[in-house]
Amino acid sequence: MQKPCACGHVMSVKLRTVIYSKSVEIEHVPVYSCEACKHSEIFQEVKEELKQCIEGLGSAPAKQVLQFNELNELAHIIYVVSDKEYIHLTVRDIVEERINQLLDLLLISQSAGDVAWTAEIRSRLAQISRHAVKANDLIG
Ligand SMILES: [Zn+2]
């Protein structure tokens, strides 16, 4: 999970807190950062979802703390991978376990007839299938 920085050093992915509009803290956002020159940039694959998350807050958001790993499946996978407790697991294990977890939830939401919840779980599963290959390439 590294890429070259303009200064010649290597940037690696870390989970950072991004502060929006001085009142919203978005925790666990994957960010590339360079130790040498302190340059940092939002991880490309989550940019769109972070933008959507910020747009959803409106122009004058109330003070709040959001967990980006709960909104974004790629951030969730990186979050789990960086947790020392799960260091023995491969990205593939984590992705598989997450898919199983979501499929269980999907069964529950469907049998409860909860349409909104079912749609949310489906969109999370879609995020995983979009991101899983990249996550494997980058972290694996
Ligand atoms: Zn640099």
Side-chain angles (χ1 to χ4, degrees):
M1 292 212 83
Q2 292 183 329
K3 76 176 212 177
C5 179
C7 77
H9 282 82
V10 173
M11 295 194 287
S12 52
V13 171
K14 296 210 165 74
L15 295 168
R16 286 272 178 87
T17 299
V18 173
I19 296 169
Y20 170 65
S21 194
K22 288 184 189 155
S23 54
V24 182
E25 287 181 34
I26 306 169
E27 295 186 335
H28 310 303
V29 177
V31 172
Y32 270 118
S33 58
C34 174
E35 293 292 323
C37 73
K38 306 295 173 204
H39 171 74
S40 61
E41 56 188 73
I42 305 286
F43 194 57
Q44 182 65 35
E45 281 73 16
V46 305
K47 261 186 195 167
E48 192 53 40
E49 272 135 9
L50 185 64
K51 201 179 116 205
Q52 282 170 14
C53 165
I54 286 170
E55 279 170 359
L57 293 168
S59 54
K63 213 167 173 55
Q64 59 194 292
V65 180
L66 300 173
Q67 307 290 324
F68 194 62
N69 57 305
E70 288 175 5
L71 306 169
N72 180 273
E73 288 301 323
L74 188 61
H76 172 79
I77 291 164
I78 296 170
Y79 178 72
V80 175
V81 170
S82 358
D83 191 327
K84 286 188 182 64
E85 204 182 315
Y86 300 105
I87 205 99
H88 60 287
L89 294 175
T90 65
V91 174
R92 191 176 295 272
D93 291 339
I94 291 162
V95 169
E96 264 172 29
E97 194 187 315
R98 182 62 176 167
I99 289 172
N100 287 336
Q101 213 175 31
L102 288 169
L103 288 173
D104 286 348
L105 284 175
L106 192 63
L107 273 179
I108 298 167
S109 70
Q110 282 174 335
S111 51
D114 190 327
V115 177
W117 190 22
T118 301
E120 196 214 311
I121 296 164
R122 283 193 190 286
S123 92
R124 284 170 177 273
L125 282 163
Q127 276 188 30
I128 292 190
S129 56
R130 268 208 321 277
H131 290 317
V133 177
K134 280 176 186 148
N136 264 318
D137 287 352
L138 291 163
I139 312 167

